[in-house]
Amino acid sequence: MVAVLVILVGITIVAQSKNGTQNLARRTAILWAIAAAIGFFGSFASGQSAAALDAELPVIWFTRIAAILVIFPITLTMGNPLIPHGSHLSLLALMGLLDATALALVIYAGTQQLSVFTSVTASTFGLVTIVLAQVFLKELMTSKQWIGALLVFASVCILLI
């Protein structure tokens, strides 16, 4: 229980730290994060319910199709191109494969003992994204954010023990 609380504290530290983002961009990012959290919640909740009925695969397909149907009109209204450049297709395919694999693993984990920790550890997906952005895109992370990230990762390790 303490590890779960420390995970929440660590995520809060990372999320509240300033990184120079402008207010409008920050608000937009927060709205996208809320939308993503709701989408992940729906995927995990329906997936774990379906796993109890041995119907995981249809739910995974449904959640991926639903995501495309949600993103398509948003992309159209923003004026972004819908067809990626050819050089990006292999990277996008890898991202899709990793995403579907992660969703399947979270759904499967929900059928195991102590499945309550599945949703807690899955909620760290945003933190992993922040750390990867720092490593690969050289996004700035403050010392306070790194401390929060280390608290989260250490707590997840404790949950696994």
Side-chain angles (χ1 to χ4, degrees):
M1 183 64 175
V2 173
V4 173
L5 292 174
V6 174
I7 288 172
L8 295 175
V9 168
I11 290 172
T12 302
I13 289 171
V14 174
Q16 289 183 347
S17 297
K18 302 282 186 196
N19 63 357
T21 306
Q22 296 176 349
N23 284 342
L24 180 60
R26 187 172 175 87
R27 284 189 205 127
T28 302
I30 289 169
L31 290 175
W32 277 110
I34 290 169
I38 291 168
F40 273 101
F41 166 76
S43 295
F44 296 155
S46 61
Q48 289 183 350
S49 295
L53 303 171
D54 293 329
E56 304 95 331
L57 192 57
V59 171
I60 293 170
W61 278 106
F62 174 76
T63 59
R64 299 303 89 200
I65 292 168
I68 291 168
L69 293 176
V70 168
I71 292 297
F72 185 75
I74 293 171
T75 305
L76 284 177
T77 60
M78 294 178 77
N80 291 333
L82 295 175
I83 300 172
H85 291 91
S87 62
H88 297 156
L89 288 177
S90 60
L91 180 60
L92 290 172
L94 176 63
M95 288 170 59
L97 176 66
L98 291 173
D99 179 61
T101 302
L103 180 60
L105 290 172
V106 169
I107 289 171
Y108 173 73
T111 65
Q112 304 303 303
Q113 287 183 340
L114 300 175
S115 63
V116 68
F117 296 122
T118 304
S119 58
V120 174
T121 54
S123 71
T124 65
F125 73 91
L127 177 61
V128 173
T129 303
I130 290 169
V131 172
L132 290 174
Q134 195 284 325
V135 171
F136 292 109
L137 302 175
K138 306 301 181 216
E139 292 284 331
L140 296 178
M141 274 184 70
T142 65
S143 298
K144 189 175 179 181
Q145 287 176 312
W146 275 113
I147 290 169
L150 291 174
L151 281 173
V152 170
F153 294 136
S155 298
V156 168
C157 289
I158 289 169
L159 286 175
L160 295 174
I161 295 175

